[in-house]
Amino acid sequence: MTSKSIKYKKRLQRLEKNGAIQGFTVILSSNAIGKSVKAIIQIANLKIKTQQFEEIIKGEKDILECHRITGINSYFMKTAFSSIKQLEAFTNRFSLYGKVDTSLIIASPVSHQISIPKTEYLQPIKNE
């Protein structure tokens, strides 16, 4: 390893230790893996307990993200499907749990934006 790569490795380790980095991930193109139908699905008026609903959604492979939110809706989910038929089946199934509101994603002008860490995390380690 070069001294520059050692410095970056140490900095990454420090950011992990400080909790600024929670992990590393790979972002796959949903289009490339055959999941070109993307939608935002919001659930309101849950008919089952929150814990039950959250256990159900954890097993759903088509949910990319799910957030419990405030306001009229209880959950906000980003999803990806291979076809409109799959999206329809998903929303039909989930209508058993509450009011389903679906919006197709036509474009994502901001996607996977990175939060910039506080400046103290960017400070070089002494002797770097």
Side-chain angles (χ1 to χ4, degrees):
M1 273 193 198
T2 66
S3 65
K4 194 172 190 177
S5 63
I6 291 170
K7 287 179 190 178
Y8 287 122
K9 184 178 178 182
K10 285 181 181 178
R11 184 168 291 176
L12 283 173
Q13 288 171 338
R14 186 179 81 234
L15 288 168
E16 282 182 285
K17 183 180 178 183
N18 290 340
I21 294 177
Q22 294 178 342
F24 298 92
T25 188
V26 173
I27 300 170
L28 298 174
S29 164
S30 52
N31 291 345
I33 61 170
K35 294 202 169 210
S36 58
V37 178
K38 292 172 268 197
I40 299 298
I41 298 174
Q42 297 184 73
I43 306 289
N45 305 327
L46 267 185
K47 298 174 185 174
I48 61 174
K49 291 183 179 182
T50 300
Q51 296 80 2
Q52 279 181 285
F53 183 76
E54 290 179 3
E55 284 304 312
I56 292 166
I57 60 175
K58 286 177 185 175
E60 293 290 332
K61 62 181 177 13
D62 297 316
I63 298 174
L64 305 176
E65 295 178 33
C66 181
H67 307 276
R68 189 170 174 200
I69 59 174
T70 61
I72 295 169
N73 294 305
S74 302
Y75 289 90
F76 179 96
M77 298 180 281
K78 182 177 178 183
T79 59
F81 301 91
S82 299
S83 67
I84 292 290
K85 280 278 191 209
Q86 284 186 338
L87 169 60
E88 180 184 22
F90 182 95
T91 56
N92 287 343
R93 228 171 355 103
F94 272 70
S95 67
L96 300 172
Y97 306 124
K99 181 183 173 294
V100 176
D101 182 39
T102 304
S103 301
L104 287 176
I105 298 173
I106 56 173
S108 298
V110 178
S111 180
H112 308 296
Q113 186 162 307
I114 299 169
S115 287
I116 298 174
K118 293 180 181 178
T119 55
E120 63 261 21
Y121 290 120
L122 298 175
Q123 300 302 317
I125 298 172
K126 291 180 184 175
N127 300 325
E128 262 191 19

